[in-house]
Structure formats: C-alpha cells, structure tokens
Amino acid sequence: MTERKRLSEHELATTLTSLNGWSIVHGKLHKEFKFNDFIEAFGFMSSVALIAERMNHHPDWSNVYNKVVIDLMTHDLGGISMLDVEFAGRVDRLLL
Amino acid sequence: MTERKRLSEHELATTLTSLNGWSIVHGKLHKEFKFNDFIEAFGFMSSVALIAERMNHHPDWSNVYNKVVIDLMTHDLGGISMLDVEFAGRVDRLLL
C-alpha cells in the first residue's frame, strides 16, 4: 500500500499543493479552521470523527469555541504519509 | 450570580475536593481522560459538547485517539469560576 510509506520532503512539497491551506508544523500536516460558533465547529468535528473512524486513522486535534486545529501524522511511521494527505483532502471536501 | 466570580486560591482548593481527579494546570481546571478507543472517546466528547452548549460555556480541549484532555477557565474573568466547577462536575457525572 502506497499509503503506508513515509513521504520524502520533496513528495510532501508536491503533495501540499494539492491541498487547501495545510502546512507542515512540527512534522505534522497542520490546519486551523474557524467557524461562526461552537455549534458549527463541533458539527464539523463530528464529521471529521466519522472520517477518522472510517479510515481507522485519527487526528491530533483541539478545539476552543469556534476554532478547530487538526494535526495529522502516521504515528507508526513517525512521519507524514499518503494516509494523512488523503485524510486532509477528505476534511477539505467537507467544507466545499 | 455566584458563577461569575473568579475563585480565590482558597476557594479553589476547597472546591477541588468536591471534584474527581481535576487539578489546576496553567491556571485552568484540568483533567485527562482515557478510554478504550476513539469511538468511546468521541462519544464522550459529544456528550461534553452538549453540556458546553447547554451551559454556553466551552472547554479548551484536545483529543488523540482514546485520550481526551479538558481545560476549563472563564475567559472573560481571566480565571476559574464556579461555572468551571459546575462544568467539571457535570462531565464527571457522565462517567458514573
């Protein structure tokens, strides 16, 4: 499976261009989301939780009121893999 | 309203004894929860989200797989109030 390979820096740089607003922070694929209020923020989180469980791949994430921060990495590879990129893409598509 | 007053250190120390496993970390009422898996952790978070919206009081919180960390403070008072203590108590009662 391609997904299980840790991406090189070059691969990462290329892949980032296919995503919307994600960057690399502390070795993780990182994005901050802002909503109108907590109801919208937690509604979003509920959708992301279903994606996470479906993919059996779980984010490091936090929330304060209308803000949600998501950090993705593939822990058993110690880095970012295509699984994280796929996850990020699915999250972005929630907000289209 | 009693809830809108920032608690003194003495009041806090007394109040903590009424809660289960909460401590003060970086000026916030803090507790870490561990579940069997993400499904249980996010189920818990969904319940906490409803409490938050019902009380119109929202936690700083984060999750990684089966772990949930909750930090409570009353932002507009710049400290911990009875609102946070009430919130913590309701969260504890979810797990009885």
Side-chain angles (χ1 to χ4, degrees), chain A residues 3-4 57 72-84:
Chain A
E3 287 78 8
R4 304 303 301 167
H57 189 57
L72 302 171
M73 74 176 292
T74 305
H75 289 274
D76 56 348
L77 296 179
I80 298 170
S81 74
M82 280 307 292
L83 200 58
D84 301 299

Side-chain angles (χ1 to χ4, degrees), chain B residues 10 16 18 22-24 30 33 46 54-55 64 71 77 82:
Chain B
H10 177 70
L16 276 182
S18 72
W22 293 80
S23 59
I24 311 297
H30 173 94
F33 302 82
S46 299
R54 176 65 171 263
M55 292 181 69
V64 183
D71 285 286
L77 296 178
M82 280 308 291

Side-chain angles (χ1 to χ4, degrees), chain B:
Chain B
M1 284 171 62
T2 331
E3 287 79 7
R4 305 302 302 167
K5 193 173 76 56
R6 182 175 169 165
L7 294 177
S8 70
E9 286 200 19
H10 177 70
E11 288 169 323
L12 258 181
T14 310
T15 303
L16 276 182
T17 62
S18 72
L19 296 173
N20 178 26
W22 293 80
S23 59
I24 311 297
V25 177
H26 301 306
K28 299 178 182 177
L29 201 50
H30 173 94
K31 188 171 175 180
E32 302 181 15
F33 302 82
K34 194 170 178 181
F35 299 90
N36 287 319
D37 54 27
F38 181 73
I39 290 180
E40 281 190 17
F42 197 77
F44 167 73
M45 290 176 75
S46 299
S47 298
V48 173
L50 295 177
I51 290 174
E53 199 54 28
R54 176 65 171 263
M55 292 181 69
N56 191 26
H57 190 56
H58 301 86
D60 298 8
W61 56 345
S62 63
N63 158 248
V64 183
Y65 191 55
N66 63 336
K67 290 178 190 151
V68 178
V69 178
I70 300 183
D71 285 286
L72 302 171
M73 73 175 295
T74 306
H75 288 274
D76 56 347
L77 296 178
I80 297 170
S81 74
M82 280 308 291
L83 201 57
D84 301 300
V85 175
E86 169 64 21
F87 193 105
R90 292 200 196 185
V91 168
D92 279 346
R93 287 196 289 280
L94 288 176
L95 300 171
L96 290 181

